[in-house]
Amino acid sequence: MRLRHLHLPGLTTYLRASAIQDHLVRLHLDHKASHLTAPAPSPVLLTFQTPPTYTCGRREVGALSPEQKAHLRADGKAEFHEALRGGQTTFHGPGQVTAYLILSLREHKLNARTHVRLLEDSVIGTCAGYWLEAHTTENPGVWIGSSPDERKLASVGVHLRRHVASHGVGLNVTVKLWWFDRIVACGLPEKKATSIEKEHQGMEPDNGASGKVLGPPTMPEKRWPVLQFYDIPRAMRQVADNLANQVALRLSGVDGGVENVTEKSIWPGELQSRLIEKMT
Amino acid sequence: MNVHEKKYTEEHEWIELSEDGKTGTIGVSVYAAKSLGDVVFVELPALDAEVTAGDSMGAVESVKSASDILTPVSGKIIEANNVLEEKPGTINKSPEGEGWIARIQVKDGGELENLMSMDEYAKFTAE
């Protein structure tokens, strides 16, 4: 079995990404309900960037006041949506790799906790590829730096229905961090958000013989391929691909690595037109 | 001794019928509570909601993941365990006792026959 990776280039609205996710979840639930002898649907990692969007988690559904929602919409500059995932209010937007992992927990010998750990470890593994030592703390998400100056690099939130997991992580690559200053991200008022780009400030790019590399100036022997922040689509694709590889490495039952798929191959045209009708 | 045996679903919910067999108490199993980790929030079902077996009737949220609670049988929700609003951790302490989630007026007792007995469930979770 391989992990299917669907990367959506450019900006995808939250509602469109949710519709694709819902479709993939539905395939798993239908498979379970029918007890078919056919193999279960393959796990899919859906990676994308949204226009600026705030979402709240399940425990805040219906709990935000009109004023709070208006604040989050920022005079129409951002969208606001309620999500059924775990966790609290967070931000998704340009410069963040939002990654939804849709799979059957049982198929991969996972439970609610080990699934979240897999997501966190995959983010940490991805960051290691960019010379960043990320880690988990007692708080949700993936962090950089030590107490009391930890900075949050990625958020994690998962939804489970009949052991079918959906939602996943938001990994900040070049996202404008002031979007996070407008909210108490994940219920932790004293903590700041960060991005791979921000954490790379102070590291020295070098056009050496081996091509573009990046690393701490004091340790020239330990330099790393640079992320091309001036070419955002490429940088986002690169991070998304690395994340997919990290997830595939850790998924029990996945032995063939990552298979990149197109939107059409997992998302029939008939459904696409129905979705477009719904949205217009 | 209760005349009705506690039954379990593959999704790790349990249901136990009252003596008259008309109402059932629903919760999540010890196994489920352990695999979820610390519960921080419980979304309780709405009173008087009419539900069909397999419907999502609420959710149990641990630190980062929210799991739907599915009703094992069809019927009408007649009571929700409001203690869980204040003390969601009760689910970790006593998932099959004080941490019950809801009571339901059972529409068709026959639906319980499809569920697992305690022994069958123990085998199922050992797999």
Side-chain angles (χ1 to χ4, degrees):
Chain A
M1 190 194 293
R2 299 173 84 183
L3 171 68
R4 298 177 137 198
H5 179 204
L6 172 58
H7 178 72
L8 303 172
L11 297 183
T12 304
T13 62
Y14 180 82
L15 288 178
R16 184 174 176 84
S18 298
I20 298 174
Q21 167 165 266
D22 288 349
H23 169 68
L24 296 169
V25 168
R26 175 56 45 200
L27 292 180
H28 277 281
L29 292 175
D30 287 350
H31 171 79
K32 288 195 165 206
S34 63
H35 289 285
L36 287 177
T37 46
S42 295
V44 175
L45 185 75
L46 175 64
T47 59
F48 57 97
Q49 296 174 78
T50 61
T53 305
Y54 289 101
T55 62
C56 72
R58 187 143 192 172
R59 73 190 96 154
E60 296 161 318
V61 169
L64 269 67
S65 69
E67 292 75 24
Q68 284 170 314
K69 287 183 194 172
H71 170 73
L72 292 179
R73 289 195 177 103
D75 295 327
K77 288 197 270 298
E79 295 181 19
F80 169 74
H81 297 287
E82 293 178 331
L84 292 180
R85 58 165 173 78
Q88 300 179 53
T89 301
T90 195
F91 175 78
H92 305 290
Q96 182 191 80
V97 170
T98 307
Y100 289 166
L101 182 57
I102 300 102
L103 52 75
S104 154
L105 290 185
R106 247 178 239 158
E107 188 80 24
H108 305 284
K109 301 189 170 66
L110 291 166
N111 64 34
R113 270 182 306 151
T114 54
H115 173 65
V116 165
R117 199 175 312 136
L118 180 141
L119 289 169
E120 291 168 342
D121 288 347
S122 301
V123 169
I124 291 169
T126 304
C127 294
Y130 302 111
W131 194 250
L132 296 174
E133 276 181 41
H135 53 88
T136 56
T137 68
E138 73 277 15
N139 293 313
V142 176
W143 301 76
I144 287 205
S146 49
S147 180
D149 299 315
E150 311 102 307
R151 303 165 300 278
K152 190 171 192 175
L153 189 60
S155 313
V156 179
V158 168
H159 177 214
L160 301 174
R161 172 169 292 178
R162 290 184 182 271
H163 307 283
V164 176
S166 55
H167 290 272
V169 300
L171 171 56
N172 299 333
V173 184
T174 64
V175 63
K176 299 272 181 291
L177 297 173
W178 56 264
W179 287 108
F180 290 92
D181 296 337
R182 301 181 66 253
I183 53 168
V184 178
C186 302
L188 302 166
E190 71 281 18
K191 300 295 180 197
K192 288 276 175 207
T194 191
S195 66
I196 295 181
E197 184 181 37
K198 169 136 194 196
E199 294 298 323
H200 273 186
Q201 284 167 11
M203 291 190 187
E204 197 177 71
D206 173 19
N207 298 303
S210 57
K212 284 204 179 297
V213 291
L214 179 86
T218 51
M219 301 171 75
E221 75 284 5
K222 287 194 173 178
R223 297 199 168 183
W224 223 270
V226 72
L227 210 51
Q228 314 275 0
F229 291 121
Y230 54 84
D231 183 355
I232 303 283
R234 192 172 148 198
M236 299 306 283
R237 170 92 222 195
Q238 199 184 328
V239 173
D241 283 342
N242 285 338
L243 183 64
N245 286 329
Q246 292 290 325
V247 170
L249 276 176
R250 290 170 172 81
L251 266 185
S252 155
V254 168
D255 44 19
V258 177
E259 175 191 6
N260 286 309
V261 293
T262 59
E263 194 174 340
K264 256 193 174 157
S265 69
I266 55 170
W267 174 231
E270 166 223 348
L271 280 168
Q272 286 196 29
S273 42
R274 226 189 296 158
L275 169 71
I276 290 160
E277 259 170 48
K278 213 167 104 185
M279 285 169 52
T280 49
Chain B
M1 197 192 127
N2 200 318
V3 288
H4 300 286
E5 187 193 15
K6 197 184 234 178
K7 295 275 198 163
Y8 294 82
T9 69
E10 288 192 6
E11 319 304 332
H12 308 289
E13 288 94 12
W14 55 265
I15 179 165
E16 192 165 28
L17 289 187
S18 59
E19 277 185 33
D20 62 9
K22 286 182 181 157
T23 61
T25 305
I26 299 169
V28 299
S29 71
V30 172
Y31 180 90
K34 273 191 190 148
S35 67
L36 268 173
D38 292 343
V39 174
V40 294
F41 171 76
V42 181
E43 180 190 298
L44 294 169
L47 287 187
D48 295 331
E50 298 274 358
V51 291
T52 306
D55 280 358
S56 170
M57 62 168 207
V60 177
E61 186 179 337
S62 59
V63 177
K64 295 152 213 174
S65 65
S67 297
D68 286 14
I69 307 162
L70 310 176
T71 173
V73 297
S74 309
K76 188 166 93 172
I77 304 293
I78 50 170
E79 196 181 346
N81 188 1
N82 295 319
V83 170
L84 299 178
E85 284 184 344
E86 290 292 314
K87 295 180 179 166
T90 310
I91 289 204
N92 295 109
K93 281 184 208 125
S94 176
E96 302 198 24
E98 283 167 42
W100 62 275
I101 290 163
R103 294 213 163 92
I104 185 169
Q105 201 175 70
V106 178
K107 201 170 163 188
D108 171 14
E111 282 179 344
L112 273 94
E113 285 165 24
N114 306 324
L115 306 178
M116 287 179 275
S117 69
M118 197 177 281
D119 283 350
E120 286 166 334
Y121 180 69
K123 272 183 210 145
F124 173 74
T125 52
E127 269 172 21

